[in-house]
Amino acid sequence: MKDTLKHSGMRNKLAQVLSAKGIQDKTVLDAIKTVPRHLFLDSSFEDHAYQDKAFPIGAEQTISQPYTVAFQTELLKVKSSHKILEIGTGSGYQTAVLLHLKAKVYTIERQQELFKKTKLFFNKMNYRPKKVIFGDGYKGLPQEAPFDGIIVTAGAPLVPKPLLSQLKVGGKLVIPVGVEEQVMTLFTRKSEKEFEKQELGAFRFVPLLENKN
Ligand code: SAH
């Protein structure tokens, strides 16, 4: 599959849709205009790639809706060379958006099948996350902590304590919390012991599951 002018035109339209829905960060909109989302889906679903919708990617998982990717990314306030941990690699689309913002990305996936497929895809596309890990995101990645930002891309029934403790002071954790429906929650570490918590609306994610599979 190729990336063509037609695809780039569709991405520009998608960025306009997301902007109309409230996404303001120019660097995030620029990532949406640049990352070829159709290449993260099976070729037969190419037509769906630039609609603002979630989509199945196999192993009962989904690529998040573009609005959700943009919303979570905007909350992280990513700066160049920030160290970011992503929980739930999935298709790799969110990873690619973070890489476009020049973050150093560490990403964890618990489904072996998806982990292998997406790791190969990153190589093929020349996307260079710092590490792609097969593991359980509930534990975070203590050996690489602390992080400027942590983004969880599956619905968490509770906030895993290790993720809060692996933030730098000033760092942010963006996590959808809840079982059937999730509340997008932003934690900012104010000091060693203090965290500010903000709740930012309802979303629906596939569940964050414990252990590897
Ligand atoms: N960021 C992905 C979204 C994928 S959906 C994208 O842009 O495509 C959420 C992903 O989280 C799924 O791939 C699922 O397998 C994974 N996941 C669920 N529980 C997990 C856990 N405990 N640790 C790591 N990944 C997990």
Side-chain angles (χ1 to χ4, degrees):
M1 235 195 312
K2 288 195 194 127
D3 191 25
T4 65
L5 268 180
K6 179 187 92 174
H7 296 113
S8 141
M10 290 195 283
R11 283 200 288 281
N12 286 335
K13 287 214 179 100
L14 175 60
Q16 281 171 15
V17 168
L18 302 188
S19 164
K21 288 185 179 177
I23 303 299
Q24 291 180 352
D25 188 327
K26 290 268 181 301
T27 65
V28 174
L29 291 170
D30 190 53
I32 299 290
K33 289 180 197 167
T34 310
V35 179
R37 191 171 185 263
H38 63 289
L39 301 182
F40 294 75
L41 304 174
D42 286 337
S43 53
S44 42
F45 303 127
E46 199 188 346
D47 289 349
H48 298 266
Y50 297 109
Q51 296 173 15
D52 188 20
K53 286 189 181 149
F55 209 77
I57 53 171
E60 291 174 23
Q61 300 307 323
T62 57
I63 181 172
S64 300
Q65 184 179 341
Y67 173 74
T68 306
V69 172
F71 188 78
Q72 288 195 277
T73 309
E74 187 168 65
L75 290 176
L76 271 181
K77 301 234 182 303
V78 181
K79 296 214 177 87
S80 174
S81 80
H82 265 179
K83 225 174 146 177
I84 305 288
L85 175 64
E86 176 190 23
I87 312 296
T89 315
S91 69
Y93 178 70
Q94 172 75 67
T95 317
V97 166
L98 293 168
L99 290 171
H100 183 80
L101 301 177
K102 302 194 167 64
K104 293 178 190 149
V105 187
Y106 299 77
T107 183
I108 308 181
E109 173 56 54
R110 74 171 276 282
Q111 290 262 10
Q112 183 136 44
E113 182 191 331
L114 270 175
F115 161 77
K116 284 189 183 156
K117 185 172 160 194
T118 303
K119 206 175 163 167
L120 285 174
F121 176 74
F122 286 148
N123 285 340
K124 188 175 125 200
M125 295 287 291
N126 235 342
Y127 287 124
R128 298 258 171 265
K130 287 279 166 198
K131 280 191 184 159
V132 184
I133 297 136
F134 172 56
D136 177 6
Y138 270 93
K139 303 186 175 83
L141 197 61
Q143 63 273 34
E144 299 289 350
F147 295 96
D148 295 290
I150 302 179
I151 177 170
V152 179
T153 70
L158 49 83
V159 181
K161 289 261 159 58
L163 300 187
L164 287 170
S165 71
Q166 290 171 29
L167 284 179
K168 284 185 192 171
V169 171
K172 293 175 187 297
L173 167 64
V174 178
I175 180 168
V177 186
V179 178
E180 265 168 35
E181 193 178 71
Q182 292 82 32
V183 176
M184 192 61 75
T185 311
L186 171 65
F187 290 91
T188 307
R189 188 167 205 167
K190 294 291 182 185
S191 68
E192 271 309 305
K193 294 209 171 128
E194 282 168 287
F195 294 86
E196 179 188 272
K197 177 180 172 187
Q198 288 165 272
E199 296 188 329
L200 299 150
F203 288 80
R204 266 181 203 276
F205 284 80
V206 295
L208 187 71
L209 299 171
E210 268 178 286
N211 301 321
K212 298 187 252 188
N213 185 1

